[in-house]
């Protein structure tokens, strides 16, 4: 668990540094891709809906977005975590993927 | 879902919101941010420089075709500027002589602090610089480039870092005028429109403005010192129905080309 947490923190930290310092120079019409948001959403979409790592990823991603932005601290944590919870809920209740086999 | 679990989740969410609320209201988020910026600053500076170099390389490739034409234009611009410069030097001499004759003290130059850009907030027009409260930076100070082109103003100060609100941020607006030799000067208000876009608003309909006119700051409003370069008129939007004219401005500063900035501490 600690190893997984450390990997998620380092991954999102590197993404935050990249998107605030490196990718700024490659903006198109002033727009830079939000790697943290994209990654957090992808993790939540493609992870097993029963697992909770996606929500943890969204929380950590939101934390780094908040640290490196001028918004109210905690706003992006809440938005990303809320979105991750919503995706999980939708996937659990209404969507069935053929590649996630149920274990009985 | 069980009612107990529902109450539990609601309570947790409320507690988290309260925690962040307290963190923001008491200013406790500042030390957290300052700590993370201190750890990240060396890596971010490195990333910023590398990004600058790589984007310069790609810019060079994409612009290589038009370099010849651009060079010709720059040479003619340069000649024009040389003649203007000579004329201005003569004027400066005359001005100094007149000042001496009238015994007027010359205006002091700006007091500046050099800072390096560390990062940019991608969703808003803010940048982070590596100078803060410890270096004498205060909120509201103007930030310029080495060519005296206005970049923005200090919005948030941490111990070792500061956040600069760029002039293209929609929350910023200030008085400016078109640089001209005529007595009939054209005044207006600069407003930010995000993503490095700027607009020159509230220009009276009877005033004539031209493309490529240079906009400079005025001391009206007391936000910025007068005479700082803002940008060049890119497009004029004139509508007879509207009471005022509007012009889109191309700012003189470009984040892609600069690594260092100056904060005006006294003027």
């Amino acid at each position: 668990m600690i190893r997984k947490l450390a990997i998620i923190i380092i991954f999102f930290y590197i993404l935050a540094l990249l998107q605030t310092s490196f990718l700024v120079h490659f903006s198109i019409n002033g727009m830079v891709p939000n790697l943290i948001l994209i990654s957090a959403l992808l993790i939540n979409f493609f992870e097993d809906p029963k697992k909770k790592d996606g929500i943890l990823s969204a929380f950590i991603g939101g934390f780094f977005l908040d640290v490196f932005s001028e918004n109210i601290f905690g706003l992006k944590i809440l938005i990303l975590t809320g979105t991750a919870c919503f995706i999980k809920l939708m996937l659990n209740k209404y969507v069935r993927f053929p590649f996630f086999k149920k274990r009985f | 879902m069980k009612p107990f679990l529902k109450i539990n989740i609601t309570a947790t969410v409320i507690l988290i919101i309260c925690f962040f609320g307290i963190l923001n209201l008491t200013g406790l988020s500042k030390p957290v941010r300052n700590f993370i910026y201190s750890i990240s600053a060396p890596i971010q500076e490195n990333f910023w420089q590398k990004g600058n170099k790589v984007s310069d390389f790609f810019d060079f490739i994409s612009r290589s075709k038009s370099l010849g034409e651009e060079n010709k234009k720059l040479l003619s611009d340069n000649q024009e500027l040389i003649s203007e410069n000579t004329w201005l030097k003569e004027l400066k001499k005359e001005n100094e002589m007149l000042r001496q004759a009238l015994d007027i003290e010359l205006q002091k130059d700006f007091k500046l602090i050099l800072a390096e850009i560390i990062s940019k907030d991608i969703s808003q027009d803010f940048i982070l610089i590596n100078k803060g409260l410890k270096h004498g930076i205060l909120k509201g100070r103007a930030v310029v480039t080495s060519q005296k082109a206005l970049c923005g103003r200090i919005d948030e100060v941490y111990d070792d870092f500061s956040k600069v609100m760029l002039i293209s941020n929609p929350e910023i607006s200030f008085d400016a005028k078109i640089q001209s030799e005529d007595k009939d000067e054209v005044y207006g208000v600069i407003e930010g429109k995000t993503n490095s876009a700027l607009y020159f608003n509230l220009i009276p309909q009877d005033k004539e403005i031209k493309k490529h006119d240079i906009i400079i700051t005025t001391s009206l409003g007391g936000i910025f010192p007068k005479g700082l370069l803002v940008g060049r008129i890119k497009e004029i939007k004139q509508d007879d129905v509207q009471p005022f004219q509007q012009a889109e401005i191309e700012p003189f500063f470009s984040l892609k080309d600069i690594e260092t900035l100056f904060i005006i501490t006294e003027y």
Side-chain angles (χ1 to χ4, degrees):
Chain A
M1 181 64 195
I2 293 168
R3 194 166 159 254
K4 200 182 270 180
L5 185 73
I7 291 169
I8 294 171
I9 291 173
I10 293 167
F11 175 70
F12 279 103
Y13 181 58
I14 292 169
L15 284 189
L17 296 184
L18 271 177
Q19 79 176 38
T20 55
S21 301
F22 188 80
L23 290 178
V24 175
H25 300 280
F26 303 95
S27 58
I28 301 160
N29 288 332
M31 312 284 265
V32 177
N34 195 334
L35 294 182
I36 292 180
L37 178 73
I38 295 166
S39 308
L41 291 181
L42 284 179
I43 290 169
N44 277 288
F45 272 121
F46 292 106
E47 188 192 36
D48 184 347
K50 297 277 182 274
K51 284 186 177 176
K52 301 281 180 277
D53 295 341
I55 297 168
L56 184 70
S57 305
F59 186 89
I60 293 163
F63 172 77
F64 284 118
L65 273 183
D66 270 333
V67 165
F68 290 103
S69 75
E70 195 45 37
N71 281 330
I72 303 161
F73 197 86
L75 185 73
K76 281 174 181 165
I77 296 178
L78 289 174
I79 292 171
L80 269 187
T81 317
T83 313
C85 290
F86 179 74
I87 292 169
K88 289 278 171 206
L89 189 80
M90 288 294 122
L91 290 179
N92 269 325
K93 277 198 165 182
Y94 304 107
V95 185
R96 289 283 172 272
F97 290 109
F99 47 86
F100 292 130
K101 285 176 188 170
K102 274 190 177 178
R103 287 174 191 174
F104 292 103
Chain B
M1 201 183 277
K2 288 174 186 172
F4 174 72
L5 200 65
K6 259 187 183 176
I7 294 165
N8 226 352
I9 291 169
T10 319
T12 317
V13 171
I14 291 169
L15 269 176
I16 291 171
I17 293 171
C18 287
F19 172 72
F20 288 131
I22 291 165
L23 213 65
N24 282 297
L25 291 171
T26 53
L28 279 170
S29 62
K30 270 191 173 186
V32 176
R33 278 183 166 142
N34 192 55
F35 173 70
I36 295 174
Y37 294 157
S38 319
I39 304 167
S40 320
I43 311 166
Q44 282 187 299
E45 272 173 34
N46 210 1
F47 274 166
W48 188 275
Q49 284 162 7
K50 292 277 185 296
N52 216 348
K53 277 179 191 167
V54 177
S55 77
D56 279 353
F57 175 72
F58 285 116
D59 264 6
F60 174 75
I61 292 172
S62 63
R63 285 169 55 199
S64 56
K65 281 180 187 171
S66 58
L67 273 179
E69 280 176 29
E70 207 178 312
N71 197 23
K72 273 181 196 169
K73 196 183 164 284
L74 284 173
L75 278 172
S76 70
D77 279 358
N78 195 24
Q79 275 186 341
E80 264 179 48
L81 286 171
I82 288 169
S83 65
E84 202 179 309
N85 204 11
T86 334
W87 178 68
L88 283 172
K89 272 180 186 167
E90 288 299 314
L91 272 182
K92 195 185 169 191
K93 264 186 198 172
E94 198 183 313
N95 196 8
E96 273 170 10
M97 277 164 63
L98 285 170
R99 276 178 190 277
Q100 275 174 1
L102 292 166
D103 201 24
I104 300 170
E105 200 185 327
L106 279 169
Q107 195 191 355
K108 284 175 188 170
D109 277 346
F110 302 133
K111 250 192 177 176
L112 304 167
I113 294 177
L114 179 77
E116 277 179 30
I117 305 173
I118 292 175
S119 69
K120 185 184 181 283
D121 182 351
I122 60 155
S123 56
Q124 291 161 310
D125 287 14
F126 279 99
I127 52 169
L128 186 73
I129 53 168
N130 67 346
K131 293 282 158 74
L133 214 58
K134 283 181 188 169
H135 309 94
I137 309 283
L138 294 172
K139 198 176 170 176
R141 295 283 186 254
V143 181
V144 293
T145 64
S146 52
Q147 287 85 30
K148 280 189 183 174
L150 183 66
C151 285
R153 69 158 188 252
I154 303 285
D155 186 65
E156 185 86 54
V157 190
Y158 304 101
D159 284 347
D160 306 289
F161 304 91
S162 304
K163 283 235 161 114
V164 179
M165 187 193 275
L166 297 177
I167 47 172
S168 49
N169 193 300
E171 284 179 36
I172 226 168
S173 69
F174 56 92
D175 291 287
K177 67 175 183 182
I178 292 174
Q179 192 182 41
S180 70
E181 289 151 23
D182 305 332
K183 279 183 181 174
D184 190 26
E185 288 175 321
V186 182
Y187 286 87
V189 173
I190 297 282
E191 280 173 6
K193 297 280 174 192
T194 66
N195 295 334
S196 304
L198 280 179
Y199 278 91
F200 190 38
N201 287 330
L202 304 179
I203 314 159
Q205 287 284 12
D206 58 324
K207 302 284 181 188
E208 195 193 333
I209 53 172
K210 294 188 293 291
K211 224 175 168 184
H212 304 301
D213 272 352
I214 291 170
I215 317 281
I216 56 169
T217 57
T218 67
S219 51
L220 283 169
I223 300 171
F224 295 118
K226 67 175 179 183
L228 297 175
L229 295 166
V230 179
R232 211 186 285 268
I233 291 184
K234 196 173 153 190
E235 202 184 328
I236 301 160
K237 288 175 182 174
Q238 210 169 14
D239 189 352
D240 291 338
V241 183
Q242 298 293 328
F244 298 104
Q245 298 182 72
Q246 194 188 45
E248 197 184 337
I249 294 170
E250 193 187 349
F252 275 123
F253 83 93
S254 163
L255 279 182
K256 285 183 178 177
D257 308 324
I258 47 172
E259 283 175 25
T260 51
L261 292 170
F262 294 91
I263 299 112
I264 300 175
T265 51
E266 272 177 47
Y267 60 92

